[in-house]
Amino acid sequence: MNELKSRIKEMIVTALELEDVTAADIVDDAPLFGESENGLGLDSIDALELGIAVKENFGVTFSVVNEETKKHFYSVDTLAAYISANMPK
């Protein structure tokens, strides 16, 4: 799972073109969206780009944007769990 989390962090930095953030700066259980001490402060546009990047990099899609989908995008930990469970074999 650690390798998957590392790949997700690299994908986030690359896909969102984060200039002042490295993969090492991203805390696994910190919120990706909204303002928080350790979070990235991403917004809804970033969420769309991140969803596309997840599909391109891992072959995993999200059928509907709802509260359940938002839970999967909460942190690197939750995103890794979703990708791991839904990645094509």
Side-chain angles (χ1 to χ4, degrees):
M1 185 75 85
N2 285 335
E3 181 181 331
L4 177 58
K5 289 179 187 180
S6 294
R7 288 180 59 200
I8 290 169
K9 290 176 184 182
E10 289 292 338
M11 177 200 65
I12 290 169
V13 171
T14 303
L16 303 180
E17 299 176 358
L18 302 178
E19 296 175 2
D20 298 331
V21 177
T22 67
D25 295 332
I26 301 173
V27 179
D28 289 354
D29 62 351
L32 296 174
F33 296 88
E35 297 302 319
S36 73
E37 185 177 329
N38 294 324
L40 292 180
L42 302 181
D43 61 23
S44 59
I45 302 282
D46 296 323
L48 293 173
E49 292 178 17
L50 195 53
I52 291 167
V54 167
K55 181 179 180 183
E56 290 173 351
N57 285 274
F58 300 103
V60 174
T61 59
F62 299 89
S63 58
V64 178
V65 176
N66 58 25
E67 289 304 313
E68 189 67 27
T69 304
K70 290 178 184 178
K71 289 178 187 176
H72 299 309
F73 278 91
Y74 177 77
S75 67
V76 170
D77 282 343
T78 58
L79 195 52
Y82 183 81
I83 290 171
S84 180
N86 292 282
M87 210 166 22
K89 306 288 182 219

